[in-house]
Amino acid sequence: MSKMTVGLISSAHVHADSYVEILKSCDAFHFIGVWDDDQNRGKRFCNLHGVDYFDRFEDLISTCECVVVTSENVKHKEHIIKCAGKVKGILCEKPLAPTIDDAQKMIEVCAKQGTNLCTAFPVRFHPVSKRVKEIVVSKELGEIKMIISTNRGKVPPGWFTSPELSGGGAIMDHVVHVVDFLRWSTGKEFRTVRTSLGRQINKGLQVEDCAILELKLEEIPVTLDCSWGMPVSYPYWGEVKIRLILEKGVIEADVFSQNIVFRSNESHHEEWINYGDNADEVMLLSFADFIRYGTDFPTAKDGLEATRVVEKAYESVKLNREVVIHGEER
Amino acid sequence: MVKVGLIGAGFIGQVHARSLSKLSEASLEMVYDINVKSSQRIAKEYKARVADSFETIIKRCDAIVLAVPTDVRHTYLEKAFKTGKPILCEKPLARTVEEGEWILRNVKSTHCIFTVGHVVRFFPEYVNIRNQVLKGKVGDVCEVRSFRGGPLPDWSSWFKSFKRSGGSILDLAIHDIDFWIWVLGKVKKVSARSLDRSENITKDHCYVLLSFENGALAHIEATWAYPPNSPFRTSVELTGSKGSISFNSTDFSPLSVHIEEKSFTESPAYLDPYAKMMKSFVNSVIKNSEPEVTVEDAFRSLEIACLALKSAQKESECLVEGKV
C-alpha cells in the first residue's frame, strides 16, 4: 500500500503540533509540508518539527492527495474553499466553522467540487469513548435518563481569545467535543439549549470563559460545562468527563485520565503524562481509511451539527432564554 | 495465519485464548488441559478444538502457548523442544534456577523462538515510565518502590503450595523484578523476606530489596495478604535526581460502570496488554525474529527472584553471582 500524500494548511491551532508529529511518522501518510498565511509562524513551526515550509499554497496543494486544515476558526471557510476540488479529502480542525452559515457554505462548495470534507473530532476515537458507546448501544443498562458532562481546560494561548479570529471563547472552543461524542454514541440529535454564563474567571479576556449549557438530547436532560477554568498549576491540559445516568446503572468516563504523575525539582506543580492510546493518531489513521475505503468517519455534517449547537448556545446568551436547535418552537 | 495451540486452560490460559481472538494474524487452533472440562469450556467459547493429548498440539500447531503451573513445565517443554516450534511460556520461566538453565540451554541448542509472559513490559503505564527514564526526564534514578497484589488467588489451588508456585516472590514480585531490571540494568545485591513458604499458604506478603550496579535501590512489595474480594492493585514510585514519577492503579478511573452486583472499572485500550504481548509473540513467529522478551531476560529475572527466595529463607542478604 502506497502512502497517502498529505499537507498541513496553517499552523495556527495548538493541535497542529500533535497532528504533524503523527503525520510525518505514521505508515499511512507521506507528509509533504506546511503552508501558512502567516509566513513567520509557519517557518517557525516547520523548524520546530523538521518539516518543509511552502511559500506558495499552489505548490503544496498540487502535490497533496489530502490536507489537514488547522487555521484560526474564522479562516476555515476561506481555506477550505481554497482547497476544494484540488484534493480528495480535507480534515478540518474543530469547530468546523464559527457559524452555521460558514459551515453550510463550506459543505456546499466541497460537495460541488467533489472533495470529502471531514471534521476533526478526536474524542470519539479514544478507546474509553468506544467502550462507553458499546455499553450504551448494548442496552444492558437500559435507556439513558440524564447526562452530566464537563470539558474544562486552561485558557488557550494566542488567537483563541481574540473574537475576530476565534469567533468566541470557551463555548466556541469546547462545546463541540462532547456534543459530537453524545450525538455519535446515542444516535440522537440535540433539541434545545439554554446557556448560563458565570463570572469571568480570567480577568481581561475579550471572550467568555465560564459557561454551563443545559441541553435536551431528544428527551434526555444534559448539562455541559465548557469553562476555561483550570488554573495554570493544574497538572494536565484539562478534562473530558461524562456521567451517564441510565435506567439500570451509571457509567462514568474520564476520557483522558490514563496518566502517570511527574513532579519536577524545577517546578512547583505536578505534571500528568498520558499513557493511553493516542486519540489523535487513531483519528488520523481512520481519516486515511475513510479516504481510501470510505469507512466511518466524522463528516462535515457532524461538524455542522456541532456548530449548530454552538451558534444556538450563543443565541441563548443573547436572548437570555432556551433556544430550539432542532424541531418546533414550543 | 499462525495456528496456535494452548496447553493449560486455567485462569491465564483463558486470558491467552481471549488475546488470540483479538488478533487477525493468529487463531486458537487447539486446547489441551489435564482437566478436560476446562479445555472444553475454552474450546467452546473460542471455537477451537479440544486436543486429546498435548503431543497432538505440539505436532499439529504452528506455535505453542504453555500456561501450566510453574513446576510442571518440564514434561511439556521436553517434547516441544524436539520440534523446534515457537513457544510462549508463562512467567516465571521456571520454579528453580536449574530448571531455568535447562530451558535456556534447550532454547539455544534448538534455536526455537521462545518468549516468556512478562506482561508488565506491555502495560502502557509501565512502558511510559521506562520511556521517561530513558529520555532523562527524571535524571539519575536513585530509588524506586513498587507494589503489586491483593487477595490470595482463589481460582486454582497450586499457588498455595510454595514448592509449586514459589509464593508471592516467585509468582508476583517477579513481575517487578523483571520490570526494574529492564529499566535499571544489572542487580548487585538482593535482600528479601516473605511470610509464608509452606505447602498451604493462606496469606503471604513479601518485600524484595534490590541494589543495582548503577547505584539505584528498588523496594518491591508483592502481596497475597488482603481479604478476599479486595481489588488487585499496582503502584510505582520512582525518585530521580531531577524529579519523581508515580503511578497508582486506583488513582484514576478512566471508565467505571455501576450496575447492581456487577460494578466494574476498566482502563480501555485498543489492545490490552495481554493481547499486545500475544501480538508481539505472533509477530516474531511470522517474521522469524527474536522476541521482545528473550529467554535470557526471563532467566535473569528468575535468577534474581530465586536469590530473593534464598535471602528470605536465610534471612540474610545475597550477592549476585555467588559473591556472598
Side-chain angles (χ1 to χ4, degrees), chain B residues 2 16 19 39 46 61 66 86 98-99 155 180 189 239 253 286-287 295:
Chain B
V2 179
H16 291 316
S19 296
S39 37
Y46 296 99
C61 296
L66 187 59
E98 292 68 34
E99 286 165 14
W155 53 83
W180 291 122
K189 271 192 306 194
T239 310
S253 73
I286 292 170
K287 294 182 182 152
V295 67

Side-chain angles (χ1 to χ4, degrees), chain A residues 202-272:
Chain A
N202 307 277
K203 303 293 175 229
L205 287 191
Q206 293 173 61
V207 289
E208 82 290 345
D209 68 359
C210 182
I212 298 176
L213 274 56
E214 294 166 83
L215 300 134
K216 277 291 215 36
L217 182 65
E218 291 182 6
E219 289 310 312
I220 306 165
V222 177
T223 71
L224 168 52
D225 185 336
C226 59
S227 300
W228 286 338
M230 296 301 196
V232 173
S233 67
Y234 192 76
Y236 205 49
W237 53 259
E239 62 174 22
V240 175
K241 288 186 184 177
I242 297 155
R243 181 162 26 247
L244 303 156
I245 320 303
L246 297 101
E247 285 171 306
K248 294 180 208 158
V250 179
I251 303 171
E252 290 172 320
D254 187 353
V255 180
F256 298 96
S257 69
Q258 289 158 316
N259 295 318
I260 58 175
V261 178
F262 173 67
R263 294 182 185 88
S264 160
N265 285 333
E266 279 135 34
S267 154
H268 289 284
H269 57 83
E270 63 183 45
E271 177 191 333
W272 290 349

Side-chain angles (χ1 to χ4, degrees), chain B residues 1 91 121 133 150 157 208 262 274 287:
Chain B
M1 179 71 85
K91 48 60 45 183
R121 296 193 190 203
V133 171
S157 60
V208 178
K262 43 177 183 176
Y274 289 93
K287 294 182 182 152

Side-chain angles (χ1 to χ4, degrees), chain B residues 229-250:
Chain B
N229 300 321
S230 304
F232 180 86
R233 289 187 292 127
T234 61
S235 74
V236 172
E237 294 164 87
L238 181 152
T239 310
S241 56
K242 283 159 69 177
S244 76
I245 286 177
S246 61
F247 163 78
N248 189 330
S249 61
T250 54

Side-chain angles (χ1 to χ4, degrees), chain A residues 138-156:
Chain A
S138 78
K139 292 273 193 284
E140 211 181 310
L141 275 72
E143 296 296 329
I144 302 169
K145 306 308 275 182
M146 192 184 282
I147 299 168
I148 308 296
S149 62
T150 56
N151 179 9
R152 292 175 298 172
K154 299 181 182 185
V155 182

Side-chain angles (χ1 to χ4, degrees), chain B residues 182-193:
Chain B
W182 193 41
V183 177
L184 298 169
K186 280 195 173 145
V187 178
K188 202 165 61 178
K189 271 192 306 194
V190 182
S191 182
R193 299 292 184 275

Side-chain angles (χ1 to χ4, degrees), chain A residues 51-324:
Chain A
V51 293
D52 291 334
Y53 180 76
F54 284 70
D55 285 318
R56 284 163 36 96
F57 171 82
E58 283 72 23
D59 291 345
L60 177 63
I61 201 82
S62 63
T63 51
C64 291
E65 289 168 87
C66 57
V67 290
V68 177
V69 175
T70 42
S71 52
E72 299 87 343
N73 299 342
V74 300
K75 292 187 186 166
H76 286 179
K77 186 170 84 173
E78 177 199 334
H79 290 148
I80 298 298
I81 290 173
K82 223 169 144 131
C83 298
K86 301 192 175 79
V87 286
K88 285 187 209 159
I90 304 171
L91 179 59
C92 181
E93 181 54 36
K94 50 63 39 183
L96 181 63
T99 64
I100 299 171
D101 276 354
D102 272 15
Q104 279 170 338
K105 180 74 184 160
M106 290 152 65
I107 291 172
E108 197 183 295
V109 172
C110 285
K112 212 178 277 173
Q113 302 278 349
T115 295
N116 279 304
L117 178 59
C118 298
T119 318
F121 285 131
V123 174
R124 59 158 102 171
F125 292 95
H126 198 285
V128 171
S129 309
K130 297 238 177 213
R131 277 293 285 143
V132 172
K133 181 175 180 174
E134 249 172 56
I135 298 167
V136 167
V137 169
S138 78
K139 292 273 193 284
E140 211 181 310
L141 275 72
E143 296 296 329
I144 302 169
K145 306 308 275 182
M146 192 184 282
I147 299 168
I148 308 296
S149 62
T150 56
N151 179 9
R152 292 175 298 172
K154 299 181 182 185
V155 182
W159 60 266
F160 282 88
T161 54
S162 305
E164 67 282 6
L165 288 170
S166 62
I171 295 173
M172 183 61 70
D173 189 33
H174 273 177
V175 163
V176 296
H177 284 301
V178 174
V179 161
D180 180 69
F181 169 77
L182 292 178
R183 288 184 64 249
W184 168 75
S185 57
T186 65
K188 296 179 195 291
E189 286 295 352
F190 284 95
R191 286 196 181 154
T192 61
V193 59
R194 202 179 79 86
T195 309
S196 300
L197 291 188
R199 278 169 87 166
Q200 199 73 3
I201 302 165
N202 307 277
K203 303 293 175 229
L205 287 191
Q206 293 173 61
V207 289
E208 82 290 345
D209 68 359
C210 182
I212 298 176
L213 274 56
E214 294 166 83
L215 300 134
K216 277 291 215 36
L217 182 65
E218 291 182 6
E219 289 310 312
I220 306 165
V222 177
T223 71
L224 168 52
D225 185 336
C226 59
S227 300
W228 286 338
M230 296 301 196
V232 173
S233 67
Y234 192 76
Y236 205 49
W237 53 259
E239 62 174 22
V240 175
K241 288 186 184 177
I242 297 155
R243 181 162 26 247
L244 303 156
I245 320 303
L246 297 101
E247 285 171 306
K248 294 180 208 158
V250 179
I251 303 171
E252 290 172 320
D254 187 353
V255 180
F256 298 96
S257 69
Q258 289 158 316
N259 295 318
I260 58 175
V261 178
F262 173 67
R263 294 182 185 88
S264 160
N265 285 333
E266 279 135 34
S267 154
H268 289 284
H269 57 83
E270 63 183 45
E271 177 191 333
W272 290 349
I273 302 169
N274 194 277
Y275 62 79
D277 288 323
N278 184 337
D280 285 352
E281 185 179 346
V282 183
M283 177 182 75
L284 290 168
L285 296 176
S286 303
F287 175 63
D289 283 346
F290 166 77
I291 299 297
R292 281 209 174 102
Y293 314 115
T295 44
D296 193 37
F297 198 80
T299 59
K301 166 80 165 72
D302 294 315
L304 168 66
E305 287 308 323
T307 288
R308 195 187 306 281
V309 174
V310 170
E311 186 171 310
K312 297 295 175 182
Y314 280 115
E315 198 179 310
S316 165
V317 174
K318 212 188 294 171
L319 302 175
N320 194 24
R321 64 164 169 84
E322 185 178 84
V323 170
V324 171

